[in-house]
Amino acid sequence: MSDLYHYYSMYSSRKYVEQFSNGVTIISLYLDLAKHAKKLTHSGAGSSSTSSNASPVLSAAIPHASIEECVAQIKKEASLLFCIPNTPFQTLFKTGELSVQEAVYANVGWIFAQHFLNRLGSEYATLAEILDPNDATDVEVLAKLKKRLRQETFTRELVLDILLRHRELIKDLYAHFAHVHYVSADSGSAVSKVADRLKADLHVSLSMTRLQDQEPLSSDELRLKITRVTTNDHDAMVMRALLDFNEHVLKTNFYQPTKVALSFRMDPGFLPAIEYPTKPYGLFLIIGNEFRGFH
């Protein structure tokens, strides 16, 4: 929580923690804007004034946001920290290189890529067609090759290292994800009725303000940028896996203010036929603090 309100240039003058016998813990924070943030707020939305003692993460948030806007955003993003309090991308959040939403999204993408990245490739599919499925020796060789490709091609550490090296692509991919799934008051879909009821709350959303700063890239534009920015095929495959994730998420509670875990309903069309010959009707990806699951 400290990292979260520091990201929005706020500090706590007092903190209270109350624990109850039923396991419920209530944390009370008395928050105020840091002095340099107050100066920027008072200078107006269009001002570019800065302070020499400014927080290193100030530019990542909205410099001219009021204390009410900051508190409203902290309340929304606290649920993400409750679901996943610690990730390998936490340092990038602390330094302001990624917002809490971008950091949690990167962690979800990391988990998705670990499990569903197509490690076998077209060459394996060609080899499987050439070899005789009735020959025990051929079947054994193919099984060993498949196991080795799955275990050694993309390790957890390699996937994480690639994501950490492509932070700007993570921002672009998150913006692509958010523009589809973030509940906007301007939405013309079935959620517009819900958005109308939430309009009074949404108009102070700093998340929406950040998303409106620049037009998100389309899927085709992202593919071209991934090809241009990455330096090898492995990096490109991992970043394209996050794009596949974006394109196949049907529903999610990522932006719901109250949740105990992240849930994503997926279109199983991204599953490679060679690894999943029987395509499931649907797929749910659920990620919590101490677990992850697929259904």
Side-chain angles (χ1 to χ4, degrees):
M1 283 299 297
S2 297
D3 293 334
L4 181 57
Y5 59 72
H6 288 163
Y7 179 83
Y8 289 103
S9 299
M10 303 191 76
Y11 71 95
S12 62
S13 57
R14 286 175 288 172
K15 301 178 184 177
Y16 298 99
V17 178
E18 299 175 272
Q19 294 182 326
F20 296 87
S21 59
N22 61 355
V24 173
T25 300
I26 296 178
I27 302 175
S28 302
L29 302 171
Y30 289 76
L31 299 176
D32 196 1
L33 288 172
K35 290 182 179 180
H36 62 271
K38 288 182 178 179
K39 291 179 181 179
L40 288 171
T41 302
H42 295 156
S43 66
S47 175
S48 60
S49 62
T50 58
S51 175
S52 60
N53 62 340
S55 166
V57 303
L58 179 60
S59 60
I62 308 298
H64 54 270
S66 67
I67 187 170
E68 291 81 7
E69 292 172 320
C70 291
V71 170
Q73 191 64 33
I74 290 170
K75 287 165 59 180
K76 293 179 179 180
E77 296 183 353
S79 63
L80 288 173
L81 293 180
F82 177 79
C83 294
I84 310 179
N86 296 302
T87 76
F89 303 91
Q90 188 73 14
T91 301
L92 299 181
F93 168 51
K94 287 182 178 181
T95 58
E97 294 184 69
L98 297 178
S99 69
V100 64
Q101 294 168 335
E102 290 165 342
V104 172
Y105 167 81
N107 187 70
V108 171
W110 177 48
I111 293 172
F112 177 84
Q114 290 175 43
H115 290 277
F116 296 113
L117 192 65
N118 185 2
R119 296 164 167 82
L120 303 183
S122 58
E123 294 84 357
Y124 176 87
T126 302
L127 182 61
E129 292 177 358
I130 295 174
L131 296 180
D132 184 2
N134 298 317
D135 188 311
T137 303
D138 288 356
V139 172
E140 183 181 0
V141 169
L142 200 61
K144 289 182 178 179
L145 178 61
K146 184 177 183 179
K147 183 178 180 180
R148 183 170 181 178
L149 286 172
R150 281 180 165 176
Q151 291 180 344
E152 299 180 9
T153 308
F154 290 96
T155 63
R156 285 165 48 90
E157 293 75 16
L158 176 60
V159 174
L160 177 60
D161 179 64
I162 291 172
L163 290 175
L164 290 173
R165 285 191 280 107
H166 294 287
R167 302 165 190 178
E168 288 305 315
L169 282 178
I170 288 177
K171 289 176 175 288
D172 291 332
L173 288 161
Y174 168 74
H176 180 269
F177 170 84
H179 272 80
V180 175
H181 299 286
Y182 191 84
V183 180
S184 170
D186 298 326
S187 174
S189 64
V191 301
S192 59
K193 293 182 179 179
V194 178
D196 288 340
R197 294 198 300 268
L198 298 175
K199 189 173 181 180
D201 183 48
L202 284 172
H203 83 280
V204 297
S205 169
L206 299 187
S207 294
M208 182 55 71
T209 303
R210 287 197 297 262
L211 291 174
Q212 291 174 341
D213 287 343
Q214 61 181 18
E215 193 68 22
L217 299 176
S218 67
S219 295
D220 291 337
E221 290 172 332
L222 275 171
R223 286 190 180 89
L224 290 174
K225 184 170 183 178
I226 289 172
T227 302
R228 185 177 70 252
V229 171
T230 53
T231 56
N232 57 67
D233 291 340
H234 282 183
D235 287 22
M237 286 181 66
V238 170
M239 303 314 296
R240 281 197 294 265
L242 269 67
L243 182 56
D244 287 340
F245 171 78
N246 288 359
E247 293 177 334
H248 290 88
V249 172
L250 300 177
K251 291 183 178 181
T252 179
N253 67 345
F254 191 93
Y255 294 103
Q256 294 296 322
T258 55
K259 52 185 174 287
V260 295
L262 296 178
S263 178
F264 304 88
R265 180 184 174 186
M266 312 287 298
D267 176 354
F270 66 91
L271 297 173
I274 193 169
E275 293 192 62
Y276 302 90
T278 302
K279 185 175 294 185
Y281 177 77
L283 175 68
F284 286 88
L285 167 61
I286 303 171
I287 301 173
N289 181 23
E290 298 178 347
F291 70 91
R292 67 187 68 168
F294 306 95
H295 177 70

